[in-house]
């Protein structure tokens, strides 16, 4: 099967940096997506990595290593509004379907 | 504009009711999706429409019936649902390139469904 693993919960302090890791099976995926989802709201697209390396978008960056089956989302200068669930999702190379991890609930504390 | 709209926002229905969820996008996307999401769980794919044709049905019970009237609209018809079907129902759309597609999916705000 195609598995994606990420930590269930993380806590960080306002103004700090946090890294949310995601691991997946190296075969079967054609790129990694990161979505942010606030409670009761829709997932919103944050980033997509298909090649190895770091993609930076303001306070958020995402990294991918295809050989290691590893990705992370880096959030800098944390704000209280960053408290949300962060979903790592692989795009299946066979079907194009998004395969989601269980999501990481990030709590930002003052 | 990356907006996907869904109506209604909230829906309460009995197990004998028939209702429909609606989704609309005007981004010219040719793939549309229905997901079901339970609390503290990731979205689960239900159906995919590609160029207005049903391309994926993830073994969803027949009490859920999708319909794609045109490239901008996606409906989900509900009949004889069970209390365990209570969830957030999310619609998404993407460009639907040809094989190996890795198009970004954009989600609507969802319909919070409660089945009594």
């Amino acid at each position: 099967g195609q598995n994606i693993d990420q930590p269930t919960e993380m806590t960080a302090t306002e103004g700090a940096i946090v890294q949310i890791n995601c691991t997946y099976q190296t075969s079967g995926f054609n790129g990694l997506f990161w979505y942010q989802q606030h409670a009761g709201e829709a997932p919103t697209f944050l980033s997509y990595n298909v090649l190895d390396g770091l993609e930076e978008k303001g306070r958020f960056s995402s990294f991918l290593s295809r050989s290691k089956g590893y990705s992370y989302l880096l959030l800098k200068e944390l704000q209280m509004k960053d408290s949300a669930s962060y979903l790592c999702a692989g795009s299946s190379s066979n079907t194009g379907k998004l395969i989601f991890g269980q999501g990481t609930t990030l709590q930002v504390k003052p | 504009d990356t907006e996907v709209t869904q109506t209604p926002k909230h829906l309460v229905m009995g197990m004998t009711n028939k209702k429909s969820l609606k989704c609309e996008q005007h981004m010219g996307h040719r793939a549309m999706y229905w997901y079901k999401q339970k609390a503290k769980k990731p979205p689960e794919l239900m159906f995919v429409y590609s160029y207005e044709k049903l391309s994926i049905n993830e073994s969803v019970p027949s009490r859920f019936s999708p319909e794609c009237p045109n490239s901008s609209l996606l409906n989900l018809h509900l009949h004889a649902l069970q209390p365990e079907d209570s969830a957030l129902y999310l619609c998404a759309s993407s460009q639907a390139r040809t094989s190996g597609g890795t198009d970004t999916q954009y989600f609507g705000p969802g319909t919070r469904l409660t089945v009594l």
Side-chain angles (χ1 to χ4, degrees), chain B:
Chain B
D1 181 13
T2 57
E3 187 178 27
V4 177
T5 59
Q6 289 186 243
T7 56
K9 283 191 175 181
H10 301 276
L11 179 62
V12 179
M13 60 186 291
M15 288 190 284
T16 58
N17 293 155
K18 285 186 181 181
K19 296 286 184 184
S20 296
L21 309 185
K22 298 187 183 302
C23 173
E24 190 167 4
Q25 57 87 16
H26 294 288
M27 296 179 277
H29 289 174
R30 302 307 298 271
M32 296 186 77
Y33 310 77
W34 280 115
Y35 287 85
K36 173 183 177 180
Q37 187 176 27
K38 293 281 218 179
K40 299 189 184 299
K41 296 289 187 182
E44 297 173 39
L45 183 65
M46 299 174 72
F47 303 103
V48 181
Y49 273 82
S50 180
Y51 295 88
E52 293 106 72
K53 292 188 177 165
L54 183 65
S55 60
I56 295 177
N57 176 342
E58 291 286 279
S59 303
V60 179
S62 60
R63 58 186 184 267
F64 295 92
S65 174
E67 178 197 20
C68 190
N70 61 54
S71 60
S72 300
L73 293 173
L74 185 67
N75 299 323
L76 185 63
H77 302 299
L78 314 172
H79 175 52
L81 294 194
Q82 304 296 310
E84 60 264 29
D85 296 322
S86 298
L88 181 67
Y89 287 84
L90 294 163
C91 173
S93 71
S94 69
Q95 284 192 346
R97 279 184 260 268
T98 50
S99 63
T102 51
D103 298 324
T104 299
Q105 292 184 29
Y106 295 94
F107 287 83
T111 294
R112 175 74 58 189
L113 175 67
T114 302
V115 182
L116 301 176

Side-chain angles (χ1 to χ4, degrees), chain A residues 30 33 35 37 42 45 48 97 101, chain B residues 37 42 45 58 100 102 105 108:
Chain A
N30 207 10
F33 291 86
Y35 285 85
Q37 187 174 26
F45 169 71
Y48 172 58
K97 293 193 298 187
Chain B
Q37 187 176 27
L45 183 65
E58 291 286 279
T102 51
Q105 292 184 29

